[in-house]
């Protein structure tokens, strides 16, 4: 938690309060902060800044002299279409994509996505994972999240409308490499990236994505965990 | 597990056997393979290839017609000096760095590394995590791993000897960005990268690393989990 994000309702003039249990634990136990200390805070959907601890109680921390003068970092001009992963890794993937600044996340069904994943209670906790990601990445703007439980209708009817620039689908068996695709470097990075889950995409899915304008590119012979692949690929937008 | 790696001793002429419980479970339950099926295998330290299942028992799978004709992918010309992370994320970090093809991993003490991390039983399991990483990334060559329990002597006496080309230390508060550092792109990528753990490096550490030739570079205003940062940075060698 590299900043503490508070909803708009928790602010009033130049004061604010923290009443979320996880945030209070972070302030008291990880930061070991005391009255008088300044905390890095942000307003969800708004600006970043600091606030000084006025008083601390077990269920509420009052802040005074709140200054919110910094704009959050720019979002990446990027939509990630991700095959719904195992519930166990969903939290970290949503956190990482949010911390990296992805504007729009589409969780999509795929042939190799187990049906049970769509029933996971983790899917009800996406807002919580997004908040964790924003507080990790020091951002205030939530990404848009779309659940696409049916692959074909989403790809055929909605995908093309989301592609504002170029689009790629990560596929270990493509002949074209990511490096070749983005050369010469004067070309813009793609604005939409499709990433499969464990086992990747089947040929039918690659074909359907290609028909909608997604070029298949490989990141090399080494096969990475979904989490690692997402960070490796999205790192290109950061560096 | 994208290939099954077997030690040299398990091979004989054109046959081999699998007797590791985790590998047997993978073949029987994840791959649901049966006698006659071909498996992707590799010889630890040697070549990659395939073998055909001759017979299956609960504690042993016999392979015939073993063909090992593929060289493993090239290692990256890269040493990663990583502040020893929380035991919980150590496994995934070792797996990912191995799968990405890092040649030499140095786990080093840092001011913000809790002393208890060095007592973690996870440190006795590094070989196991490396094997998982090789089987994930489809490689056969183990990276070298060095444990540097004392920061200052290691940095002062050994670090410079490991830098074959340029070296960087990832530091959110550096004025120079990674992108600036690697421009013009005709310059070689650094051969050594230092990455902090949660909380990053303290100024004393950055200064000592700088004296040994490590340039501090930032990957931007967004602060990432150690795992995400490692994959974002190392992705530059892949893409």
């Amino acid at each position: 938690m590299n900043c503490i994000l508070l909803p708009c309702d928790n602010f009033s003039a130049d004061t604010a309060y923290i009443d979320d249990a996880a945030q209070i634990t972070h302030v008291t136990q990880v930061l070991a902060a005391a009255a008088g200390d300044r905390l890095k805070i942000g307003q969800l959907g708004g600006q970043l800044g600091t606030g000084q601890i006025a008083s601390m109680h077990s269920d509420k921390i009052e802040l005074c002299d709140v200054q919110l003068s910094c704009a959050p970092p720019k979002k990446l001009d990027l939509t990630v279409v991700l095959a719904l992963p195992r519930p166990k890794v969903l939290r970290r993937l949503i956190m990482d994509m949010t911390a990296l600044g992805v504007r729009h996340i589409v969780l999509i069904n795929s042939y190799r996505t187990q049906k049970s994943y769509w029933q996971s209670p983790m899917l009800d906790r996406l807002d919580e994972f997004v908040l964790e990601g924003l507080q990790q990445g020091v951002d205030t703007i939530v990404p848009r999240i779309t659940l696409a439980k049916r692959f074909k209708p989403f790809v055929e009817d909605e995908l093309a409308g989301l592609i504002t620039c170029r689009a790629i689908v990560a596929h270990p068996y493509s002949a074209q490499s990511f490096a070749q695709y983005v050369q010469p470097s004067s070309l813009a990075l793609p604005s939409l990236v499709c990433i499969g889950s464990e086992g990747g995409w089947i040929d039918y899915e690659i074909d359907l994505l290609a028909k909608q304008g997604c070029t298949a590119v490989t990141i090399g012979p080494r096969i990475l965990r979904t989490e690692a692949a997402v960070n490796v690929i999205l790192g290109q937008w950061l560096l």
Side-chain angles (χ1 to χ4, degrees), chain A:
Chain A
M1 213 182 281
N2 296 302
C3 74
I4 292 164
L5 280 191
L6 304 170
C8 200
D9 288 351
N10 290 27
F11 291 85
S12 161
D14 73 339
T15 67
Y17 64 88
I18 305 173
D19 60 353
D20 174 83
Q23 291 176 332
I24 292 175
T25 302
H26 181 78
V27 173
T28 55
Q29 293 182 18
V30 181
L31 301 179
D37 289 348
R38 289 201 81 84
L39 301 177
K40 287 189 193 175
I41 64 168
Q43 186 176 81
L44 211 53
Q47 303 263 99
L48 292 163
T50 61
Q52 188 174 22
I53 299 177
S55 69
M56 298 179 81
H57 308 280
S58 63
D59 59 349
K60 198 174 193 178
I61 296 175
E62 307 261 11
L63 304 176
C64 60
D65 190 25
V66 167
Q67 298 173 10
L68 297 177
S69 50
C70 254
K74 263 189 76 174
K75 281 266 181 273
L76 306 179
D77 181 17
L78 183 61
T79 297
V80 175
V81 177
L82 182 74
L84 184 68
R86 274 185 303 140
K88 201 177 154 186
V89 295
L90 181 64
R91 170 174 168 264
R92 292 196 301 266
L93 275 161
I94 295 289
M95 269 186 74
D96 286 350
M97 288 190 285
T98 302
L100 285 160
V102 173
R103 189 190 299 274
H104 184 184
I105 299 167
V106 179
L107 296 173
I108 196 168
N109 194 40
S110 78
Y111 183 79
R112 297 214 172 97
T113 296
Q114 289 187 27
K115 283 207 173 58
S116 64
Y117 294 177
W118 288 105
Q119 265 76 54
S120 167
M122 297 297 262
L123 279 173
D124 299 326
R125 295 174 56 193
L126 296 180
D127 289 350
E128 182 188 322
F129 307 151
V130 163
L131 182 65
E132 285 187 88
L134 292 173
Q135 295 184 134
Q136 168 70 46
V138 194
D139 189 359
T140 68
I141 312 292
V142 300
R144 181 176 157 206
I145 300 190
T146 302
L147 302 186
K149 288 197 188 183
R150 294 175 65 212
F151 182 85
K152 188 165 179 271
F154 183 86
V155 173
E156 288 188 334
D157 303 337
E158 301 187 46
L159 191 70
L162 299 177
I163 303 176
T164 57
C165 176
R166 305 197 293 165
I168 57 171
V169 49
H171 187 48
Y173 307 109
S174 166
Q176 186 174 21
S177 73
F178 187 95
Q180 289 164 339
Y181 177 78
V182 296
Q183 286 301 328
S185 53
S186 57
L187 285 177
L189 282 167
S191 66
L192 186 140
V193 177
C194 307
I195 301 176
S197 195
E198 281 141 284
W201 308 100
I202 60 169
D203 289 344
Y204 166 81
E205 291 165 338
I206 292 287
D207 289 348
L208 211 61
L209 290 167
K211 275 192 194 131
Q212 300 301 319
C214 300
T215 304
V217 300
T218 171
I219 59 170
R222 296 176 176 278
I223 302 179
L224 306 179
R225 297 186 306 126
T226 309
E227 273 176 270
V230 163
N231 284 300
V232 159
I233 294 170
L234 269 47
Q236 297 302 306
W237 276 256
L238 244 66
L239 301 184

